Amino acid sequence: MAFRPPTPGLLVDNKYRLAERIGGGGMGDVFRAEHVLAGRAVAIKFLHPELADNSELSHRFFQEAQAVNRIRHPNIVDVIDAGVGDLGPYIVMEHLDGESLGMALARFGRLDMEAAVGVAIPVLEALDAAHRAGIIHRDLKPENIFIAFDPSRGSAVVRLLDFGIAKVLDSDGPSPRTRTGVVFGTPDYLSPEQATGDSPLDGRSDLFSVGVLLYEVLTGTRPFRAPTAVATAFRVVHAEVPTLASAGVTVDPRLEAIVQRLLQKDPAKRFQTAGDVVRELERVAADASRRTAALGRLINVQRRMALSLGNATENERDRLSSSRDRSRVGTPFDVSPAPPMRISPPLVSGSRVTEAPPGMRPSSEPAKPAPGATLSNALRNRGSEPTLLSQRGESLPTVRSADLGLRAEPTVRSADFGNLINRQRDTRRPNVTPVRPLPARFAGQYHVRGPVLRSVDRTIVDEYGRSARDEVVAQMPLRYADDFRHDSINALVGYDLEALDAYMELATSLVLRDLERWRDIGRLGVGGELHSLVRTLFARPLTDIASLMRRGTSIWSRLFTFGSWRVATGPTGRVTLHIGDFDPASLPLRLWVVGMVEETARRASGGGVKVTITLGELGFTSELACEISL
């Protein structure tokens, strides 16, 4: 059965009116919606239409609703309804006002002890209930933990999300939905037994993941991070467990011991139940009110309370609802952040480094033109700033405070220096073109799907030749270059945004010489690598631009793990495409997106379409808005 893609304005089962898309991933999209009779705001998760006919995926999709209702715990997001409609399988959940732990970490770098424990205890209480019900979560990560404002309490609460790949422990043996050779979960947070598949899983696997989460929120780094998923899984299984102190963070020794015990390779050496961990953490941070207050500062409960009571000023209301406040780096409102973890390089091309408040890392803001300056002048100034590069052409790593003499470094024998120099000489690449790195606040946080990289790469080859493209790839960081060099980019895989950003920056300098060409490359991609994704829009000419844009956003938005896409029609009939939370996108990527949208609309409407950028024609700003007209 063919299902229509969900788009804003559609009615789901005559009950829920869809508003804007608020999230999603490889399996589906999440929309804010409203119950048309009760007036209640909800969140609806849809399985992607192209996956809905897969009975196994549909079964796993509804498993989340079944698991949540089997557990019934206040720290787990509530599932209200589920079904299959014209838009395919869907699950209706409570709508949460706040932000994910992943977003909080992106803004603050790391959390103080009380906030970290304040997040961990509710998650562990939810896991304890799940484990007692015979359910293992298997996909704990910052994006699946939400810090929400509860107006009935006037405080922040923590909700555990996404039981979509949870495992049900049946007395008859393993779940039939876990096939041999298939590993579910996110590599950084896998337990050793989850990574190898050598032994049955139980609740202690989730406790290992909690240990990874605690390490990350306290230090700002992941304990077993490696360049690839396979290398990360290998480190999870074999690498020695790092201490918090080795990352330059000093905490209560009892908390250090808790994290170390959670991260033991042998499940028998970990805590045996989530409840045991809760009791130990409560001894470390005993004051529940202080933990709650620390969480409240992360999402600015005071201002949210004023908004819910109608006491907020118009300016405060705009700030709170703005995507800029949800994703901006720095100290929002009155938060007292944790001490700094890294010292950013003082010179970053395309950015100016702003002085950070005490305890926070400096943030890089996009350079803005002076009053009256043209965009071309701003871009010219942007390109003239120096960049810190290693001899391999990669941006220099950030320096932790722990690296500045606070801990002993391993001794290097003089005989080793020759080998080090030779290795460095072997990996050095000549004629390195200086480019600005992706701003540090976005590093490792966001991904783009394979079709974007394939489209950009193929179009460069077709338009400028393989030798020009090879020159670009030759100067890319080695960890990203191989996929381009061997044409092994997979359309179904998400790739680090850094890979696309490095490619675009180098291609701009070495090949295009003109930023506006990225808009042309976006247009050309629609007739090439992107055609199979958008061809459903070309089935018949559509003259209703608003409807066309809504259908298009359900496709385009899946290409990125960032950005909130919505379409609006003004009083005069003008149609606007607005993308919020688009901070990680550079100017080349923005122009490429506009070109892709423009050409898709032109082909789908069978006529001339004009797309005018009205907001966000500078890289690394919160929003991008375009006006579309025939």
Side-chain angles (χ1 to χ4, degrees):
M1 177 180 178
F3 296 109
R4 290 189 295 162
T7 55
L10 293 182
L11 196 62
V12 180
D13 274 2
N14 294 315
K15 291 187 288 185
Y16 306 102
R17 178 77 63 185
L18 295 184
E20 74 272 13
R21 180 183 182 274
I22 57 176
M27 288 283 288
D29 294 307
V30 182
F31 283 77
R32 185 176 66 82
E34 183 179 276
H35 194 293
V36 293
L37 297 179
R40 177 182 180 180
V42 296
I44 304 184
K45 179 188 290 188
F46 294 93
L47 190 63
H48 284 322
E50 61 267 29
L51 304 178
D53 288 333
N54 185 311
S55 59
E56 182 180 357
L57 291 179
S58 295
H59 191 101
R60 190 181 304 141
F61 181 77
F62 286 121
Q63 178 179 284
E64 176 172 11
Q66 296 162 3
V68 168
N69 282 297
R70 180 169 169 175
I71 302 166
R72 304 296 298 174
H73 191 274
N75 292 336
I76 296 175
V77 65
D78 191 21
V79 171
I80 302 165
D81 194 3
V84 180
D86 293 340
L87 308 181
Y90 67 88
I91 297 173
V92 182
M93 301 169 288
E94 63 176 316
H95 182 265
L96 300 175
D97 174 21
E99 68 179 30
S100 70
L101 177 60
M103 184 66 77
L105 287 174
R107 292 196 292 119
F108 298 116
R110 69 184 185 97
L111 308 184
D112 62 27
M113 184 191 73
E114 285 175 334
V117 175
V119 168
I121 286 178
V123 169
L124 285 159
E125 289 173 339
L127 289 175
D128 191 51
H131 297 165
R132 290 175 185 274
I135 295 171
I136 310 170
H137 190 283
R138 294 201 300 178
D139 195 22
L140 291 171
K141 56 186 177 182
E143 290 71 26
N144 286 340
I145 297 170
F146 203 89
I147 306 167
F149 170 59
D150 184 346
S152 65
R153 300 182 187 181
S155 63
V157 295
V158 175
R159 295 283 189 269
L160 182 58
L161 313 178
D162 204 346
F163 278 77
I165 64 170
K167 179 180 174 65
V168 180
L169 300 177
D170 297 320
S171 58
D172 295 333
S175 165
R177 290 176 292 283
T178 302
R179 302 190 306 272
T180 301
V182 177
V183 176
F184 293 107
T186 305
D188 287 284
Y189 307 94
L190 293 176
S191 66
E193 60 270 28
Q194 199 175 358
T196 62
D198 289 341
S199 58
L201 300 183
D202 58 29
R204 294 172 296 182
S205 176
D206 281 343
L207 297 188
F208 184 93
S209 302
V210 171
V212 176
L213 282 166
L214 267 173
Y215 189 99
E216 181 177 8
V217 299
L218 288 165
T219 68
T221 61
R222 298 170 192 169
F224 304 108
R225 191 70 190 270
T228 67
V230 173
T232 298
F234 182 87
R235 285 180 55 80
V236 166
V237 175
H238 298 289
E240 183 179 349
V241 178
T243 63
L244 299 173
S246 69
V249 176
T250 302
V251 298
D252 186 312
R254 294 174 297 176
L255 183 56
E256 176 82 77
I258 290 170
V259 175
Q260 285 291 302
R261 186 173 174 186
L262 286 167
L263 292 176
Q264 290 299 304
K265 310 294 185 187
D266 182 355
K269 295 181 179 179
R270 297 176 206 149
F271 291 95
Q272 297 303 291
T273 70
D276 293 340
V277 190
V278 170
R279 285 185 284 276
E280 291 298 318
L281 288 175
E282 285 177 335
R283 293 189 180 100
V284 175
D287 192 333
S289 63
R290 290 176 64 89
R291 299 196 304 263
T292 301
L295 290 176
R297 289 193 294 271
L298 294 178
I299 61 170
N300 191 23
V301 158
Q302 295 300 320
R303 185 165 287 132
R304 291 179 191 274
M305 175 65 79
L307 184 64
S308 69
L309 297 175
N311 296 330
T313 66
E314 183 175 352
N315 184 52
E316 287 175 324
R317 190 175 293 110
D318 289 342
R319 286 187 62 199
L320 190 58
S321 61
S322 164
S323 61
R324 282 189 291 269
D325 277 346
R326 291 196 302 272
S327 58
R328 182 172 53 203
V329 173
T331 305
F333 321 127
D334 58 352
V335 178
S336 299
M341 287 305 302
R342 296 179 178 84
I343 299 174
S344 300
L347 297 175
V348 181
S349 176
S351 303
R352 68 173 186 272
V353 177
T354 59
E355 184 177 352
M360 288 299 293
R361 291 176 293 170
S363 63
S364 297
E365 297 179 359
K368 297 179 181 178
T374 64
L375 176 61
S376 59
N377 287 336
L379 296 175
R380 194 175 299 115
N381 293 335
R382 176 177 178 270
S384 64
E385 298 179 41
T387 303
L388 293 179
L389 294 173
S390 70
Q391 289 179 306
R392 287 172 50 182
E394 300 175 18
S395 58
L396 288 175
T398 51
V399 182
R400 298 177 300 178
S401 58
D403 293 329
L404 301 178
L406 299 182
R407 61 185 173 89
E409 297 293 340
T411 303
V412 180
R413 297 173 300 167
S414 59
D416 293 333
F417 280 109
N419 293 332
L420 289 171
I421 293 170
N422 287 334
R423 285 202 300 271
Q424 190 175 47
R425 184 181 295 118
D426 291 341
T427 58
R428 187 183 306 163
R429 283 173 277 178
N431 303 321
V432 170
T433 300
V435 295
R436 61 116 187 95
L438 186 71
R441 66 186 186 273
F442 304 129
Q445 300 289 332
Y446 303 102
H447 298 85
V448 294
R449 282 184 61 188
V452 178
L453 279 73
R454 287 173 62 93
S455 176
V456 168
D457 188 46
R458 285 287 89 204
T459 307
I460 291 291
V461 171
D462 293 343
E463 292 296 302
Y464 296 95
R466 181 166 288 275
S467 61
R469 175 265 203 171
D470 288 347
E471 184 180 3
V472 170
V473 173
Q475 296 200 34
M476 289 184 70
L478 296 177
R479 62 187 179 277
Y480 302 131
D482 282 348
D483 282 325
F484 289 97
R485 187 176 294 115
H486 301 302
D487 291 323
S488 59
I489 295 171
N490 189 323
L492 300 178
V493 172
Y495 292 84
D496 287 348
L497 176 60
E498 288 94 320
L500 177 65
D501 188 70
Y503 188 109
M504 285 184 148
E505 283 294 309
L506 284 163
T508 301
S509 299
L510 298 172
V511 181
L512 304 185
R513 313 287 183 183
D514 179 5
L515 279 167
E516 281 297 324
R517 282 291 291 153
W518 283 112
R519 191 161 173 170
D520 296 331
I521 290 173
R523 293 189 190 102
L524 292 167
V526 174
E529 288 289 332
L530 299 177
H531 186 267
S532 61
L533 289 177
V534 298
R535 64 186 177 188
T536 56
L537 300 175
F538 306 153
R540 63 181 186 277
L542 290 173
T543 56
D544 182 353
I545 291 296
S547 176
L548 171 60
M549 286 296 106
R550 290 189 179 100
R551 289 181 60 193
T553 56
S554 68
I555 298 172
W556 302 320
S557 60
R558 297 179 208 162
L559 297 174
F560 311 95
T561 61
F562 54 94
S564 300
W565 299 58
R566 69 176 186 270
V567 178
T569 304
T572 61
R574 291 182 177 179
V575 177
T576 300
L577 171 64
H578 182 275
I579 312 175
D581 299 325
F582 215 48
D583 309 56
S586 65
L587 182 56
L589 179 54
R590 289 161 186 261
L591 295 172
W592 182 89
V593 167
V594 171
M596 173 189 65
V597 169
E598 186 172 37
E599 182 63 16
T600 303
R602 186 190 68 79
R603 293 185 179 219
S605 65
V609 171
K610 181 180 180 182
V611 177
T612 305
I613 300 175
T614 58
L615 180 67
E617 200 173 0
L618 279 175
F620 311 118
T621 52
S622 296
E623 298 162 295
L624 174 63
C626 304
E627 188 176 287
I628 299 98
S629 58
L630 282 172

